[in-house]
Amino acid sequence: MALFSTFLLCFSTVINLVFAEAKVYMVLMEDKPTFSLTTKQKYMSDKDYTVHKEQISSSHTIFLESHLQKGSYTKLYSYTHLLNGFAIHVTSKEVLSILRNTTGVRSVHEDVKIEKLTTHTPDFLGLPAHIWPRLGGVEGAGEGVVIGFIDTGINPNHPSFMTSSSSGFLNSTKFKGKCDTGELFPSTACNGKIIGAQYFAHGAIANGEFNATRDVSSPYDADGHGSHTASIAAGNHDIRVIVDGFDYGAASGMAPGARIAVYKALYTFGGYMSDVVAAVDQAVEDGVDILSLSAGPSSVPSGDSAFLDVLELQLLFATKAGVLVVQAAGNGGPSSSSVISFSPWITSVAASITDRKYNTTIVLGNGQSFTGTGLSPPTDGEIDYNIAAAADVCVRNATIITVDSCQNPEPFIRPLVYRRLIICTYTFEYEYEAASIATVADTMMEIGAAGFIITLDPNIGPEVVKGTMLTLQIPAIVLNDMQASSALWEYYNANTIRDKRGQAVAFAAKARILDGRQALYTGQAPVVASYSSRGPDVKNALMQTVDVLKPNVMAPGTSIWAAWSPDSEGDKYVKGQSFALISGTSMATPHIAGIAALIKQRHPKWGPDAITSAMMTTADRTGHSGAPILAESSNELIQATPFDFGAGSINVSQAMKPGLIFNVTFKHYVQFLCAVPGIDVKSVKKAVGVACPTKNKFKCSDLNLASVTISNLVGKRKVIRYIKNVSHKEKYTVHIKEPLGVNVTVVPESFRIKRRGSRRLRLVFEAIEATNAYTFGEMVLKGKKHIVRVPLAVYVGSASSS
Ligand SMILES: *[C@@H]1O[C@H](CO)[C@@H](O)[C@H](O)[C@H]1NC(C)=O
Ligand SMILES: *[C@@H]1O[C@H](CO)[C@@H](O)[C@H](O)[C@H]1NC(C)=O
Ligand SMILES: *[C@@H]1O[C@H](CO)[C@@H](O)[C@H](O)[C@H]1NC(C)=O
Ligand SMILES: *[C@@H]1O[C@H](CO)[C@@H](O)[C@H](O)[C@H]1NC(C)=O
Ligand SMILES: *[C@@H]1O[C@H](CO)[C@@H](O)[C@H](O)[C@H]1NC(C)=O
Ligand SMILES: *[C@@H]1O[C@H](CO)[C@@H](O)[C@H](O)[C@H]1NC(C)=O
Ligand SMILES: *[C@@H]1O[C@H](CO)[C@@H](O)[C@H](O)[C@H]1NC(C)=O
Ligand SMILES: *[C@@H]1O[C@H](CO)[C@@H](O)[C@H](O)[C@H]1NC(C)=O
Ligand SMILES: *[C@@H]1O[C@H](CO)[C@@H](O)[C@H](O)[C@H]1NC(C)=O
């Protein structure tokens, strides 16, 4: 969960009356970084490499010294591996125009804010029974694979990251990451499970948002988010989740044998792109296999700046270097076109709700019962407790709104609340986060109530109630259903005796609350979570949707139990806990990163394209019951489309053996960039260092992805796909489920391919009828042992081309 948002004003220690507003910029240089040289001229030794890296870094220093006035800037980073450039903090406006005007400078980008995109899951995905045994058992699953986390750091004291004596350090010459030590992060923190840990804060410091007391100047996770994501992907197996003395079950990472490399570049407040870019540069230089990025910009970009942005560009080079980049799709759903992870070289992850549910029941004195939410203990004993509305047990001069939201212990009359269940209301204050359920719990414990009931405000209606998945130490229920709320009030009013002035004088309504901490495994699953960002993809400079399917694939993201930092300053709902139950595409992302590690272990030679293709072509479109997967929309469940879940819900056992894969190389991504309608081809050359072909017949829809998207089909469109055989002898036949209003033909209709050979498929899409909406279909390549599915998404602009 992360976002870039608008640039914030920052303070400057250098007083400059002309340019009071100091800013951070990322500057890319014309010269090549170390990575693009390694592909051509191999370094003789590590020492040569280091020398070259230092040369690039000092060339930046010399460049700055010779063009800029001393004191007008501070260099924060040199980027040397994937990008050749630097980040600087400037205090004078002239600096910018000088930089933009100097030869050797490729481009200048203002720093932007990044936001974090806020356990039973392994069983739900079928891991322990089917996959782990084949990969060397629980401890071996993912062995040898290094996952880099660009996040808020890690809590090295957590049981999810402890090493047993049997597991040793990674005996790899491939990974070269180091371990920074510092506050709360001793040298023993890197224990063989955690094999690298560094932190990047120059951008956050220069932007004035870093607070060393709160954010901690070391790889230590002072938030919790980074420990959560790392443990989902690669945490140890079978760790008991105990919160407030209650055992919620066991948690486990997807790939318990994978190694963790930590690159802390996000903080409680989010982060800055200048730090994230430095972290990615280091991670790829160190040799991670997979990058997990549960963060992104706060709004959906569009135009040339989208794909040619510093971070997107860098992630393209990371992909070229063989690193799979997995990123959260965003938490902007269910609105369409809300994906903030949009580049075709990135695997963008949607979030689902699994079949694990928590519900709480309240039983009234008249025998009626209602279900709601709240992970709370039951009321004591087999007895009923008196119910009292907050307004009826508070001093009369207190304002109604403060009283009803139960945020403050002060107005409550203690003898009237003692051992009673207090009714509070989910007022507007909760909507804008001036009130919280956590504060209600604190208030109720302080005043000595037996528990509380939160009812909905008829003026707000059945909105999504915030904070219901919070663990509570006091009996509680949130009646997030209008009918149940009114029924409770009806029962209360009928059993409360009032005097002439309306003051309650006798309370006879009673109820008890049952245990809300017991998980139930029920309902159709998976379901696309309402908050999960939806496609179609971003718009190009002509404000047309780009022909790439986003998101790519879906994994569990809702109510995920995983590791936390107990002394984090982050979320007040989970403060002090060693585990947190939280939701977001941030939580779905490390599921995919961990599963990708399992695939990488099984198929070490597979690149990012093959791994992504394998996960997509084998994903499930139907749930456990066999019915099509549904998506949470505004207030209902509707049939999910590829814009909700990409190719579908990850199917781990199938993803290990896809049969065929769709291959893509760097060259094709460049062709794609050159083909984006309205893009400035000169800026593509500037950005990637390769000129666009002059006669480019390549269309964005021709990029060899395991999906086909056509956002404006007029007449006929030919689309080419290549597939590679990665399995045994098999004959495939092609089956098409046509999108509405479209005729699709594929040549050949059946085929065989040579060992490691590839095959070309020619698809022709013909518009039959304008639909004024995207319609979806699929191409299925059926073999005896493999089924390869390719989602099709088409918008028929016009049925005729002439
Ligand atoms: C480049 O420098 C010249 C002269 O100093 C100035 O007039 C011009 O605006 C500058 N161009 C840019 C793009 O900053
Ligand atoms: C994965 O695919 C297999 C084979 O189609 C199927 O039996 C299984 O139910 C699917 N889902 C999961 C979660 O494994
Ligand atoms: C790594 O190497 C060390 C010594 O070279 C050895 O003792 C250890 O068992 C090896 N660990 C693994 C996991 O192979
Ligand atoms: C930094 O964080 C600490 C701990 O959260 C807090 O007490 C302090 O006020 C913060 N300092 C600033 C300048 O915000
Ligand atoms: C809540 O749980 C009870 C059993 O504890 C079950 O009967 C009821 O159907 C559940 N309600 C919902 C909405 O899932
Ligand atoms: C409300 O009344 C009580 C005494 O009845 C008094 O102590 C308190 O200050 C009053 N509060 C306000 C906000 O007027
Ligand atoms: C896929 O691989 C085959 C064989 O290596 C190659 O001929 C083809 O150009 C590749 N296609 C793409 C899009 O990379
Ligand atoms: C894929 O390659 C294998 C050999 O590795 C071969 O036996 C098989 O026939 C090929 N598959 C197809 C679909 O041609
Ligand atoms: C679809 O295209 C094929 C091949 O061009 C043609 O034979 C068929 O009639 C078309 N179907 C429709 C519904 O137009």
Side-chain angles (χ1 to χ4, degrees):
M1 40 160 252
L3 318 165
F4 319 134
S5 67
T6 51
F7 189 82
L8 301 179
L9 293 190
C10 48
F11 72 85
S12 157
T13 46
V14 180
I15 295 171
N16 185 321
L17 295 176
V18 187
F19 193 61
E21 192 187 303
K23 288 187 174 184
V24 174
Y25 291 90
M26 291 168 284
V27 179
L28 298 185
M29 305 296 283
E30 298 283 1
D31 290 338
K32 286 189 163 30
T34 53
F35 164 69
S36 65
L37 287 179
T38 50
T39 53
K40 288 205 191 83
Q41 61 185 66
K42 265 240 176 296
Y43 288 103
M44 304 303 287
S45 66
D46 285 357
K47 195 166 149 269
D48 291 351
Y49 177 85
T50 311
V51 167
H52 188 215
K53 183 179 153 87
E54 277 161 13
Q55 273 169 0
I56 294 177
S57 178
S58 61
S59 75
H60 297 155
T61 308
I62 294 165
F63 173 87
L64 288 167
E65 281 171 357
S66 55
H67 291 95
L68 302 181
Q69 210 182 335
K70 210 175 163 196
S72 66
Y73 69 92
T74 312
K75 184 176 101 172
L76 304 176
Y77 293 109
S78 269
Y79 306 133
T80 58
H81 190 69
L82 295 171
L83 299 171
N84 185 326
F86 50 85
I88 58 168
H89 186 211
V90 304
T91 51
S92 117
K93 232 176 199 148
E94 292 92 73
V95 170
L96 261 195
S97 54
I98 296 170
L99 286 175
R100 291 211 165 106
N101 235 342
T102 308
T103 31
V105 172
R106 183 171 281 178
S107 53
V108 180
H109 308 257
E110 189 173 327
D111 203 1
V112 282
K113 189 109 186 255
I114 305 254
E115 284 176 23
K116 297 170 285 169
L117 300 174
T118 328
T119 315
H120 149 84
T121 359
D123 281 326
F124 182 80
L125 292 172
L127 280 169
H130 306 297
I131 309 297
W132 288 342
R134 289 188 224 146
L135 293 171
V138 164
E139 262 144 47
E143 175 61 56
V145 182
V146 180
I147 309 177
F149 295 88
I150 312 291
D151 215 302
T152 61
I154 200 161
N155 168 10
N157 310 314
H158 200 278
S160 289
F161 310 121
M162 291 292 144
T163 34
S164 64
S165 49
S166 60
S167 61
F169 277 74
L170 180 69
N171 288 343
S172 160
T173 50
K174 200 191 65 188
F175 185 76
K176 299 186 167 61
K178 61 174 182 167
C179 284
D180 287 344
T181 57
E183 192 186 347
L184 300 170
F185 212 84
S187 58
T188 50
C190 278
N191 58 3
K193 173 80 190 164
I194 301 170
I195 59 169
Q198 297 174 59
Y199 80 104
F200 303 84
H202 295 319
I205 294 166
N207 279 299
E209 276 207 72
F210 186 84
N211 172 340
T213 315
R214 179 192 61 194
D215 300 320
V216 181
S217 303
S218 83
Y220 181 77
D221 181 8
D223 178 81
H225 188 264
S227 305
H228 206 267
T229 55
S231 68
I232 290 170
N236 289 328
H237 175 58
D238 209 12
I239 301 299
R240 299 317 297 180
V241 176
I242 296 170
V243 176
D244 293 337
F246 187 79
D247 186 341
Y248 283 92
S252 170
M254 295 290 112
R259 309 299 168 127
I260 295 169
V262 177
Y263 300 88
K264 173 171 161 182
L266 299 175
Y267 300 88
T268 297
F269 57 84
Y272 284 90
M273 199 192 270
S274 54
D275 291 326
V276 170
V277 167
V280 170
D281 210 51
Q282 189 63 56
V284 175
E285 182 182 341
D286 289 347
V288 301
D289 297 296
I290 294 159
L291 268 180
S292 183
L293 190 57
S294 287
S298 59
S299 59
V300 181
S302 67
D304 282 13
S305 59
F307 297 116
L308 301 181
D309 179 39
V310 183
L311 182 58
E312 298 306 311
L313 209 55
Q314 186 191 29
L315 296 174
L316 170 59
F317 292 128
T319 308
K320 187 184 182 193
V323 176
L324 174 71
V325 180
V326 184
Q327 186 183 28
N331 294 344
S335 335
S336 70
S337 293
S338 47
V339 284
I340 50 118
S341 174
F342 48 87
S343 294
W345 44 89
I346 294 171
T347 300
S348 311
V349 186
S352 69
I353 299 168
T354 68
D355 64 346
R356 186 185 60 192
K357 311 265 158 43
Y358 289 98
N359 84 20
T360 313
T361 303
I362 184 168
V363 182
L364 306 186
N366 65 3
Q368 264 185 300
S369 75
F370 301 107
T371 53
T373 49
L375 278 86
S376 73
T379 40
D380 251 0
E382 291 283 296
I383 54 162
D384 288 344
Y385 290 77
N386 277 120
I387 313 177
D392 289 334
V393 289
C394 276
V395 293
R396 305 201 71 194
N397 58 1
T399 60
I400 296 291
I401 185 118
T402 357
V403 165
D404 286 349
S405 58
C406 300
Q407 297 298 292
N408 184 356
E410 225 163 88
F412 286 94
I413 303 163
R414 302 303 155 101
L416 292 183
V417 295
Y418 182 69
R419 287 185 57 86
R420 283 186 167 153
L421 293 170
I422 308 302
I423 311 178
C424 308
T425 306
Y426 194 80
T427 57
F428 277 112
E429 288 172 290
Y430 289 85
E431 288 293 289
Y432 57 86
E433 295 181 12
S436 75
I437 294 171
T439 311
V440 180
D442 292 346
T443 303
M444 293 301 145
M445 285 194 283
E446 184 167 342
I447 66 178
F452 62 93
I453 303 160
I454 298 211
T455 58
L456 294 183
D457 182 340
N459 296 321
I460 302 181
E463 286 294 311
V464 177
V465 177
K466 291 172 184 149
T468 55
M469 288 321 249
L470 130 103
T471 59
L472 298 163
Q473 290 178 51
I474 177 168
I477 183 168
V478 179
L479 291 176
N480 46 3
D481 170 282
M482 218 62 227
Q483 253 177 326
S485 289
S486 340
L488 178 94
W489 278 105
E490 210 170 284
Y491 167 71
Y492 173 70
N493 287 328
N495 290 282
T496 302
I497 298 163
R498 294 175 187 278
D499 64 15
K500 285 197 188 100
R501 293 171 308 162
Q503 177 91 5
V505 290
F507 301 91
K510 286 172 181 289
R512 72 200 137 103
I513 293 172
L514 308 184
D515 198 342
R517 300 168 301 184
Q518 305 289 348
L520 307 163
Y521 297 92
T522 175
Q524 199 189 340
V527 168
V528 184
S530 157
Y531 59 81
S532 185
S533 285
R534 310 295 209 257
D537 205 14
V538 295
K539 294 191 163 56
N540 61 31
L542 307 179
M543 294 315 281
Q544 301 159 344
T545 303
V546 176
D547 286 346
V548 170
L549 179 68
K550 287 289 165 181
N552 293 76
V553 70
M554 180 169 74
T558 299
S559 302
I560 306 296
W561 275 117
W564 201 251
S565 272
D567 32 47
S568 82
E569 289 286 336
D571 198 331
K572 71 175 169 192
Y573 284 123
V574 285
K575 200 165 163 53
Q577 296 179 185
S578 287
F579 293 90
L581 182 69
I582 55 176
S583 304
T585 49
S586 272
M587 283 64 244
T589 302
H591 279 97
I592 294 296
I595 291 162
L598 301 178
I599 300 174
K600 184 82 183 171
Q601 180 192 18
R602 170 80 75 87
H603 307 283
K605 293 225 170 86
W606 285 13
D609 55 340
I611 297 173
T612 303
S613 172
M615 293 195 287
M616 287 181 70
T617 59
T618 57
D620 291 331
R621 269 77 153 172
T622 51
H624 289 185
S625 63
I629 292 176
L630 300 178
E632 281 188 334
S633 186
S634 300
N635 268 319
E636 51 179 348
L637 290 176
I638 56 173
Q639 192 163 330
T641 74
F643 288 165
D644 301 322
F645 59 25
S649 179
I650 184 84
N651 186 316
V652 193
S653 58
Q654 301 304 307
M656 304 300 272
K657 42 180 173 62
L660 301 170
I661 55 127
F662 291 79
N663 56 321
V664 198
T665 58
F666 177 73
K667 196 178 92 187
H668 296 97
Y669 288 126
V670 175
Q671 277 190 312
F672 163 86
L673 285 173
C674 295
V676 173
I679 206 161
D680 172 14
V681 291
K682 277 190 240 128
S683 59
V684 175
K685 179 173 188 235
K686 257 191 161 185
V688 298
V690 186
C692 287
T694 41
K695 271 198 0 216
N696 195 12
K697 279 168 75 186
F698 191 95
K699 288 201 165 64
C700 287
S701 51
D702 287 325
L703 184 63
N704 204 37
L705 303 173
S707 61
V708 180
T709 306
I710 304 175
S711 60
N712 184 20
L713 179 65
V714 175
K716 276 188 187 178
R717 169 91 60 100
K718 185 185 82 181
V719 172
I720 300 299
R721 285 292 180 270
Y722 294 89
I723 40 183
K724 271 187 149 173
N725 174 15
V726 292
S727 184
H728 307 293
K729 186 175 168 125
E730 223 170 324
K731 182 184 179 222
Y732 283 90
T733 54
V734 181
H735 302 258
I736 293 284
K737 207 177 123 226
E738 289 170 334
L740 211 66
V742 184
N743 187 1
V744 184
T745 48
V746 181
V747 178
E749 287 174 335
S750 70
F751 58 87
R752 290 170 183 282
I753 39 183
K754 289 200 293 275
R755 183 180 168 76
R756 292 208 188 89
S758 84
R759 196 77 210 217
R760 185 172 178 271
L761 297 179
R762 182 172 173 275
L763 291 78
V764 177
F765 290 78
E766 186 186 357
I768 302 292
E769 195 187 333
T771 47
N772 291 319
Y774 278 96
T775 61
F776 305 93
E778 68 181 358
M779 173 171 75
V780 185
L781 310 176
K782 276 189 192 155
K784 264 216 182 75
K785 289 195 181 134
H786 299 103
I787 296 180
V788 177
R789 293 178 187 276
V790 179
L792 312 174
V794 182
Y795 190 112
V796 180
S798 161
S800 128
S801 54
S802 52

